[in-house]
Amino acid sequence: MTIRRIASGGIYEKKIGYCRAVVAGGFVHVAGTTAQGENIPEDVAGQCGSALAAIGSALSKAGCGFEDVVRVTYYLPDAADFPACWPLLAETFGDNPPAATMLECGLIDPKYRIEIEVTALQPG
């Protein structure tokens, strides 16, 4: 079995020792992803959009897209923030919604309001 690793250059990848995504066994496993870049939005919906953009990039590099996602897990420090993300998530996954879980928990830095992790099945 071939394993391919996809890095995104995120600030924690080298510090912690992980990569944005791993392609193995016909699946693409995308690591928990928070908002990216120097100007992190303060609002949860903006952070959700930024995280989804980074995830979309990783999926694209792996040869798939959001329509191939079979599992998604959302991590939020405050579950009350989650409904603000629903319209963006419904738009992102459209007619191909994955199995989903939302957990309320602490994140690596208090500035982050959402982290998203996905698993996709490679087309083919």
Side-chain angles (χ1 to χ4, degrees), residues 5 22 51 69:
R5 290 171 172 80
V22 174
V69 173

Side-chain angles (χ1 to χ4, degrees), residues 19-88:
C19 58
R20 178 65 44 219
V22 174
V23 181
F27 286 94
V28 180
H29 305 274
V30 181
T33 304
T34 58
Q36 304 290 300
E38 293 182 21
N39 299 314
I40 303 295
E42 290 187 22
D43 67 299
V44 70
Q47 288 193 18
C48 182
S50 177
L52 288 170
I55 291 167
S57 177
L59 291 172
S60 178
K61 289 175 185 174
C64 57
F66 285 106
E67 68 276 8
D68 302 304
V69 173
V70 296
R71 182 93 179 123
V72 60
T73 304
Y74 305 103
Y75 304 93
L76 292 93
D78 185 352
D81 282 345
F82 196 40
C85 300
W86 294 352
L88 180 56

